[in-house]
Amino acid sequence: VNDLSYHAHHLSPHMFLFGAPLAKLLGFTGIEIFAVHQGLFFGLFFLSFCLIVAQRDMRRRDWMVATASALVLGGLSNALFQAASYPHFEIAMIAIASLAIAAWLARYRLLFVVCLAWLPLIREDGGFYAAIVCIACIAVEQDRGRRVDASTRLLTVLALAGLAASAAAFLIKA
């Protein structure tokens, strides 16, 4: 690992967990693993938006905002174009965070928790992304007229766990 390496700057088990099976089982090279990674996670990002707008109980206003966001982010986003033109593994954080929100809205709680657990494995600040996802889900629940209940408390605990995971990763890295 040299100074230009991703590992010289970030704590990321994700790269090993994603790439090792592809290398061992399919004989993929590093470039092939990276290409599969990028294609999979860019596709997952857009699939997440499709799952969000496909919700049956979504209000028309929310559907329009989600659809417009998907179109703007997918077709006009400078950040997404930059992510594609200067590829990094971090696209996985955006894709997994988007999938987590879609999973929460669709009430796929196990997938939601798996996404939250995976975020800190991508990069040391992934726990902050998990916290933001939980806060966004709390906002959606509150907008739906739900009072503070068990799911709000769970999301709060998960957000705090994400913050703690990132804090621990930064301490380990230091």
Side-chain angles (χ1 to χ4, degrees), residues 2-72:
N2 63 26
D3 287 343
L4 297 176
S5 171
Y6 183 86
H7 291 291
H9 304 283
H10 299 292
L11 182 63
S12 180
H14 163 78
M15 291 170 45
F16 174 77
L17 294 170
F18 182 85
L22 293 176
K24 185 71 173 169
L25 299 175
L26 301 174
F28 282 18
T29 66
I31 298 294
E32 292 169 330
I33 291 167
F34 189 64
V36 168
H37 181 277
Q38 294 304 96
L40 176 72
F41 284 98
F42 272 99
L44 188 59
F45 174 72
F46 289 107
L47 176 64
S48 299
F49 272 110
C50 290
L51 293 173
I52 290 170
V53 299
Q55 296 298 312
R56 284 182 264 149
D57 63 342
M58 185 178 280
R59 294 187 308 221
R60 181 136 178 93
R61 175 201 70 179
D62 297 339
W63 182 88
M64 291 178 69
V65 168
T67 302
S69 297
L71 292 172
V72 168

Side-chain angles (χ1 to χ4, degrees), residues 21-141:
L22 293 176
K24 185 71 173 169
L25 299 175
L26 301 174
F28 282 18
T29 66
I31 298 294
E32 292 169 330
I33 291 167
F34 189 64
V36 168
H37 181 277
Q38 294 304 96
L40 176 72
F41 284 98
F42 272 99
L44 188 59
F45 174 72
F46 289 107
L47 176 64
S48 299
F49 272 110
C50 290
L51 293 173
I52 290 170
V53 299
Q55 296 298 312
R56 284 182 264 149
D57 63 342
M58 185 178 280
R59 294 187 308 221
R60 181 136 178 93
R61 175 201 70 179
D62 297 339
W63 182 88
M64 291 178 69
V65 168
T67 302
S69 297
L71 292 172
V72 168
L73 285 172
L76 305 172
S77 172
N78 188 37
L80 201 58
F81 286 146
Q82 285 180 0
S85 66
Y86 189 65
H88 279 76
F89 282 94
E90 284 92 339
I91 189 62
M93 289 200 322
I94 298 167
I96 297 291
S98 300
L99 182 61
I101 293 170
W104 181 263
L105 293 174
R107 294 173 183 80
Y108 294 124
R109 299 304 189 243
L110 179 60
L111 177 58
F112 177 76
V113 171
V114 168
C115 289
L116 292 185
W118 195 265
L119 283 167
L121 299 176
I122 299 169
R123 199 173 68 187
E124 63 274 359
D125 61 343
F128 297 140
Y129 280 72
I132 290 168
V133 164
C134 291
I135 291 167
C137 291
I138 289 171
V140 167
E141 294 298 328

